[in-house]
Amino acid sequence: LGVVIVTAYTGIRTIQDAQTRLYQEDFATAVDLLTLRTHENGVRVALLNMIVLTKRPDQEAWHQDIKERGKSIDEVMQRLLERARNEQKLLQKLEELDAIRKVFVQTRDTEVIPLIYEGKIEQAEKLALGIQDERYRNMRAISEELGNEAEEGARIAVAQTEQTARQSVRIFVIV
């Protein structure tokens, strides 16, 4: 009876820990990375709309969308970096992503958007479709890679939980 109790407790505790990690880390990271990509895509669309539209109020509306999404992106990045503080590989990739993102934001806010408001659409377009597009693609590639890794981590955690459950059942049968 003691062996059964210890086995049951150990198995249940292992499964609970795995589920907690799965939900609080792997799943949360995957969701945040998806949210990040969604907002980055939205920023890209808003910026391109600012370039295409000629009326200042329309441009300002899209600029406001960029600002709001930027705040959300900052919050998501902060959560991701905080969650990854103990996982060196993930932290390095997130820091790389954040560094590219900061340069992207800097160029967008200090060069591209002012050019749009000044009516220098060709120059803004050249920046947006040149170096900014390259940065955007780099950010997207890194976030997709990290999202895939988070999904793989979740899959592995589920597989380990299933293995622990099967092992506990075997011990029960043997006892």
Side-chain angles (χ1 to χ4, degrees):
L1 185 59
V3 170
V4 169
I5 291 171
V6 169
T7 301
Y9 176 78
T10 304
I12 290 169
R13 191 70 199 144
T14 302
I15 291 170
Q16 285 175 331
D17 291 344
Q19 287 178 338
T20 300
R21 181 181 181 278
L22 178 65
Y23 181 75
Q24 291 179 349
E25 294 178 23
D26 296 330
F27 180 70
T29 297
V31 168
D32 279 346
L33 286 164
L34 181 61
T35 302
L36 184 72
R37 286 195 309 260
T38 300
H39 285 306
E40 289 292 350
N41 289 338
V43 166
R44 183 83 173 141
V45 167
L47 191 62
L48 294 175
N49 278 327
M50 282 184 74
I51 290 172
V52 172
L53 298 171
T54 55
K55 294 181 181 174
R56 181 75 176 225
D58 294 336
Q59 291 173 333
E60 288 173 351
W62 284 108
H63 189 192
Q64 185 60 35
D65 185 58
I66 290 171
K67 289 177 184 177
E68 290 169 8
R69 287 180 183 275
K71 288 177 187 174
S72 295
I73 290 168
D74 289 341
E75 292 168 4
V76 169
M77 276 306 301
Q78 199 60 37
R79 282 194 310 263
L80 286 166
L81 289 167
E82 179 64 28
R83 201 177 300 123
R85 70 183 180 277
N86 295 325
E87 294 182 47
Q88 194 59 36
K89 183 182 173 192
L90 177 60
L91 184 60
Q92 281 180 318
K93 281 292 198 182
L94 285 171
E95 287 172 343
E96 178 185 353
L97 174 63
D98 198 37
I100 295 169
R101 185 185 68 82
K102 286 177 180 175
V103 173
F104 179 87
V105 168
Q106 173 76 19
T107 302
R108 180 194 70 210
D109 292 347
T110 62
E111 295 180 49
V112 179
I113 291 176
L115 285 171
I116 293 169
Y117 283 141
E118 292 169 11
K120 299 176 180 176
I121 301 302
E122 280 187 36
Q123 291 172 307
E125 197 173 290
K126 184 178 177 183
L127 272 173
L129 299 176
I131 189 69
Q132 288 294 83
D133 186 54
E134 183 181 325
R135 290 175 182 145
Y136 168 77
R137 290 178 191 280
N138 286 339
M139 290 186 302
R140 185 178 171 116
I142 292 170
S143 63
E144 283 178 2
E145 177 187 341
L146 291 175
N148 292 340
E149 288 175 8
E151 287 177 26
E152 180 64 17
R155 189 189 64 71
I156 290 170
V158 168
Q160 288 173 340
T161 301
E162 289 173 354
Q163 176 65 23
T164 300
R166 282 193 300 271
Q167 196 173 18
S168 295
V169 168
R170 257 189 305 240
I171 291 172
F172 291 148
V173 169
I174 290 170
V175 169

